[in-house]
Amino acid sequence: MLRHHDRVEPKRRNVVDHRKKQFASPQYKHAEYPHRLNFYIDAPTADITLEQFEQWAIDRLRVLGELEACSFRNKSPAETATHMKSILDKYLPLDSNSSASGKLALQRQKDHYSHFILRLAFASTEDLRRRFTRVESMLFRMRFHTDDVSERAAFVNGLNLDWWEAVSEEEKVQYAEELAAMLPVRKTIEDESWFKVDWERVPDLVEQRRVFLKQGKAFVPGREQQSMVVSEFTTRLEKQLELTARALPRLDEDDRLKPILTHLSKNFITPDASYMAGSTAPEGANITAANIDNLSQHFPACMSNLHRSLRRDGHLKHYGRLQYTLFLKGIGLNLEECLVFWRQGLRHKTDDEFNKEYRYNVRHAYGEVGGDSNRRGGGYSPFSCQKILTEHPPGPGEAHGCPYRHFNMENLATLVQSMGVNDRSVMQGIKEDKDGQKFHMACNRVFEHVHKTEIRKAKDQGVMTANQLETIVHPNEYFKRSYLLKNLAKETADVEMEG
Amino acid sequence: MPHSTDMQASSPPRAVKDEPMEDEAAMPAHVANPAVDDDAEMEQTEETATATASQGDKEIKKDVKLQDLFDDDDDSDIEVDDSIFTPTNVANLKASDPEIMRQFYQRLFPWRLLFQWLNHSPTPTNDFGNREFAFTLQNDAYLRYQSFATADLLRKDVLRLMPSRFEIGPVYSANPRDRKQLGKTSAFRPLAKELCFDIDLTDYDDVRTCCDKANICNKCWQFMTMAIKVVDAALREDYGFQHIMWVYSGRRGAHAWVCDKKVRSMDDQKRRAIAGYLEVVKGGAQSGKRVNLWRPLHPHLARSLDILKEHFQQDVLESQDPWDTTERAERLLGLLPDQTLRDSLRSKWDAAPGRSSMSKWADIDAIFKSGAASKKFDGKALLEAKQDIVLEYTYPRLDIEVSKKLNHLLKSPFVVHPGTGRVCVPIDLKALEDFDPLEVPTVQGLLAEIDAYQGAEGEEEKKGVADWEKTSLKPYIDQFRLFVNGIMKDEKATAVKREREDESMEF
Ligand SMILES: [Zn+2]
C-alpha cells in the first residue's frame, strides 16, 4: 500500500502543476492511450481550452449524476447499464480498439481529462470525495464489465499488480472441499483459475464470504478478478483524492478555474442534502407534537413502523430514534415540539432520565449542540431511502430500516395492510418488488395505491406536473407529496360542496 | 443485491470524527457529587472540577457522534442488580464504593501489565502515550480523551479520580490531550486499535429460556462458550491472527481483544469486512427467519456448524427446551419451509402436549421419513432447513458495531463491573468449558482474601508477596502476563528484523 503512496506522490505534484502548465506556459505532449480502460495514474499534461475544460467536466458530471441516481433508485447493474447506454454514448463515449473508430484518441483524452478536472472539484470535502470515489468506481466497473475480453486482459496485465499469485496444484488438492464450496453448483475446481491474495486486498469478497480464507490468505476464483481490480481502482482513487485535497490550499487561485470548479461541485448535490430542517413543512400544515399521530397517515412504511413501535413500546432503540427524529425534523417539526414529542413518546422514562439521556441527542440532531460543523450544518440531514436501505440494517429488537427490505413478507404484509393496502394484486406486486430487491418500487407502489384517487385528480386538473410525481426516493418527499395530495383533494372537495 | 458492497459508501455521520462538545451548558456531567461529606473527597471533587474548567478535558460520552449518543440508554451495564451480589466479609459495601475502588486500584489492579500490553514494549512509546482512556466517574460523568505517558501516571490519575470503570480507545496520531490545539486537521486522527468483539447474552433473550435481561446462569453461559469457540476458530484459522484475548465482561458477556500488530492498524473497511464475514444471524425482531445462507456452506460456516451441533442437543434442546409450549413450538414450525410437514408436526404435537424439544426435534426426521412432506421438499432441503435452525439457535450473536470502528471504546480488562463487583478477568481458552462466570472473583471477595492471608501466614512469608498474589486473582494475572509477553516477544522480533533489513539496505 505504502508503495502506491510513494508512487503517486510525484503525480500529485503533476495534478497541481499541470493546470498552471496547461494554461500558463503552453507545451504540448501527446498522451498515449493504449487501452480503453484507465486507472488515471498519470495526470494530463497537454493543453486544452477553457471551454473544453468546462464542457468536458460538465459532460462527465452528467454521467456521474445519472449513475448515482440509478443507485439511489436501487437499479440492478444490468438495469443501470441499459439506462446508462444512451447517456454514455452521448456524453462520454469510449470505443474499444477493435472498433477501429477514428475518435479513439479524442474520446480517451476527454475521459482522462474530465476525470482529473472533477478530482479537483470534488477533493475538497470528505463527503464529496466519498461520493466521487463511489460513482467513479461504478463507472469503472461498468466499463470493465463490458470491455472486450482480450483488451481487458491486456489492460489488467499492464497494471502490473504484483500482489496476487496463482494457487498451486497441490493447494487445489489440499483444499478441494473448501474451494468447491466457493463455486456455483455445476462448476468444478478445475474450471476456475484461482488466485491467492492477502485477504486485506479483497475486503468486499471477504465480507460477503465469497472467498475461502486460510491463515490470512484469500483464495479467489478467477471470475472475481473484476472485484479485485475495481477495489484496487477505488483504493488508489481514495488515496489520490486525499492527496489532491491536501494540495488544494496550495493551488493558488486561478481566477478562471475557481468559479468553474466551485460551480461543478455545487451541481453535485445529493438528495440527502435537499431536505434541511424546517424548510419543508407544507404550507398551512399544523406540524406539532400533538398532531403527529394524525400526520402519521402520510408517513411511508419505514416511518409508520417507527411511529407504531414507539406508540406500542414507549421506546425506540438508538438508530430508530435517529432515523425518526431526522424525519420529523424534515417534515418541519421544530426543536421544541420535537422535544415535547419525545418526552411524551418515551413514556417509561422519568423527566430526569429524559433530560440526561435523550434531550441532548435530539438537540444534536437539530444542530443546536455539538461541534462547530454540526451546528453550522443544522445537524444531520434526514435520511434518504438510499441511506436507510444500505446502512446499518436493523438488529435484534430494532425498528429502523426499510420494511420493504428488512421485514419478511409476512410482517410486511401486515404493516402495509394497516396502511390501507388490501388489494391482492398490489400485494402481489409488492412481493415481486421485494423479491427482485426493488424496494423503492414497492414503496412507490404502495404510495400510488393509497393515493390513487388523489393522483388521478391531480393529473386531471393538471395541478401537479409529471415531474412532481416521479419516483419517490426520500421518506420526506413521501410525506410531503402525500400531505399535498390529500389536502388538494380536500380543497377540491370543499369547492365542489360549495359549488 | 443490486450493488456489491464495495460500491456502497460508508455511513457519513459515522465517519464524522468525534467532536469535542463546546457547549458548556449542555454538560450536566460537570455537576459535582452532592453527596460528599468527607473533606478529602470534597477536595478531590473540587480538583476534578478545576481540572475540567482549566483544561476542558471533561467530556461526557454525549459528544461523540450522533449515533453513539443514541446508544447510551441501551447500554445498561451500569444498572445495579443486587440479586447477583455475593455478600462477603468486607462489610456490605457496594463494588463501586470509593473505598473499595481505592483499595482495588491500589492493591490489585495489574497496572504494569496493562501498560506493557498496550505499549508493546517495556519502555514508554506513543502506543501507550497517545492512547485514549475514558473514565466513568462515580457520579456517572464520562471523561474522554485522557492519556498518560506511563503506567504510573495512569495509576495516579485513576486513584485521584477513582472511576468506577474505564475504557480503552484508539492510539491517536498525537496526544489526545492536545487535540483541541490541533483542531480539525488530520494531525489528530485515530491510527490504531485492537480489533474487538462484544458478545452479550441479552441478545440471546429469544433463544434462552432460563434467564433474561441482566441475569445469567451456567446454562445460558453455554451460548457464550459456543460463541467464543466459533469466533476464536475463525480468527485464528481463517485470518491467521495469534494474539487473541477473551475477557469476561463482568456480568453477562465477553469481549475479545485481537492484538496482532497488523490487526491494530486496520482501517474501518477491513474491520467491517471481518465483522460481516462473521455475522450470520441477521435482522431485527420483525425479520422472521434470521439465518439465510447459500449452499454449499462456506468453509467457515461448515466448521462453525460442526462446533455448534455438538452443543445443540445438550445445551439448547435439553437445557433450554426452547419449544416446550405450543406457542414456542410455532417458532420452530415457522422455520420449516414445507407446509405439509408443518401441518403433520403440528397435529402430532397438539395431540401430545408437553412433549419435549428433544422429542420434537427428532419428530421432524421421523415425520419426514413417514412421507408427510410435499414432494419438492426433499432430504437435502430438510437437512439445510435443520442446519439453519441449529445456526439460528447457536451461532454467535455479535454486537457488530463494536468491531466495525477503529475508534470504538471498550471497557478495559481487569476493571470491576460496578453492578456485580466481579473483575473482568481473561478467560482461559484451554479451560473454556470450565469457565464459570458466577465463580469469578468479586472485588469484595478479593479484598477479604488479602486480609485472610495476612492473618494466616507468618511474617516471613508476607514479605515480598504482592497483594494480588495472595488472592484468587493470581491465576488470571499470570494468564494475562503470558499473553502480554507473547505480544512483546513478537513485536521485538519484528523490530529487530526491520532493523536488519534497514541495515542491509544501507550496504
Ligand atoms: Zn440462564
Side-chain angles (χ1 to χ4, degrees), chain B residues 201 208-212 215-221 320:
Chain B
L201 276 177
R208 58 174 184 159
T209 54
C210 52
C211 312
D212 66 350
N215 303 311
I216 63 161
C217 69
N218 275 307
K219 281 185 185 173
C220 48
W221 183 258
Q320 299 290 340

Side-chain angles (χ1 to χ4, degrees), chain A residues 71 74-77 126 130 134 137-138 141 178 181-182 199-200 203-204 206-209 211-216 230 315 318-319 321-322 356-358 360-361 363-364 369 371-373 375 380 387 390-392 394-397 405-408 411 437, chain B residues 1-16 19-23 26 62 66-67 69-71 73-74 184 236-240 262 266 269-270 272-274 276-277 279-280 283-288 290 293 296-299 301 401:
Chain A
S71 91
N74 253 18
K75 284 192 193 290
S76 71
E126 194 178 325
R130 187 175 54 78
R134 185 167 174 273
S137 299
M138 280 178 78
R141 177 188 296 259
E178 287 86 351
M182 307 316 308
W199 77 267
E200 291 96 334
D204 57 330
V206 169
E207 186 168 0
Q208 298 167 59
R209 288 192 292 266
V211 287
F212 163 56
L213 290 185
K214 188 75 192 172
Q215 294 295 322
V230 174
H315 188 73
H318 54 285
Y319 279 116
R321 295 202 306 276
L322 178 58
K356 229 166 138 178
E357 295 168 32
Y358 300 92
Y360 183 86
N361 305 341
R363 294 180 63 211
H364 197 282
V369 287
D372 273 351
S373 70
R375 279 184 280 179
Y380 291 116
K387 198 170 166 67
T390 55
E391 291 174 11
H392 302 289
R405 173 165 209 166
H406 300 120
F407 277 25
N408 66 13
N411 291 324
Q437 307 238 358
Chain B
M1 288 277 298
H3 317 286
S4 62
T5 39
D6 63 329
M7 300 295 287
Q8 280 162 8
S10 61
S11 152
R14 274 254 168 213
V16 171
E19 270 169 14
M21 186 172 65
E22 283 127 47
D23 187 351
K62 303 190 164 60
L66 194 51
Q67 271 92 345
L69 311 179
F70 280 74
D71 237 344
D73 65 318
D74 295 317
K184 279 204 190 81
R236 288 179 206 271
E237 293 170 21
D238 300 354
Y239 294 91
K262 68 175 183 180
M266 286 193 315
Q269 190 196 14
K270 296 191 184 79
R272 262 201 318 273
I274 297 180
Y277 180 85
E279 192 181 26
V280 167
Q286 298 291 315
S287 331
R290 291 171 62 188
L293 298 169
L297 282 180
H298 184 276
L301 298 173
E401 295 306 318

Side-chain angles (χ1 to χ4, degrees), chain B residues 253-311:
Chain B
H255 299 156
W257 294 81
V258 187
C259 310
D260 297 49
K261 191 176 174 67
K262 68 175 183 180
V263 171
R264 300 197 308 263
S265 58
M266 286 193 315
D267 60 20
D268 284 350
Q269 190 196 14
K270 296 191 184 79
R271 287 168 201 260
R272 262 201 318 273
I274 297 180
Y277 180 85
L278 292 173
E279 192 181 26
V280 167
V281 184
K282 287 188 177 153
Q286 298 291 315
S287 331
K289 191 167 182 286
R290 291 171 62 188
V291 171
N292 295 291
L293 298 169
W294 292 103
R295 295 301 192 287
L297 282 180
H298 184 276
H300 158 62
L301 298 173
R303 176 192 48 217
S304 302
L305 195 61
D306 278 345
I307 298 173
L308 293 167
K309 65 188 178 200
E310 309 265 310
H311 288 268

Side-chain angles (χ1 to χ4, degrees), chain B residues 81-94:
Chain B
D81 180 356
D82 289 320
S83 63
I84 308 177
F85 214 71
T86 327
T88 68
N89 48 0
V90 176
N92 282 326
L93 290 175
K94 277 194 177 161

Side-chain angles (χ1 to χ4, degrees), chain A residues 387-414:
Chain A
K387 198 170 166 67
I388 293 170
L389 279 166
T390 55
E391 291 174 11
H392 302 289
E398 292 183 315
H400 68 273
C402 170
Y404 298 105
R405 173 165 209 166
H406 300 120
F407 277 25
N408 66 13
M409 195 55 217
E410 206 179 315
N411 291 324
L412 178 60
T414 314

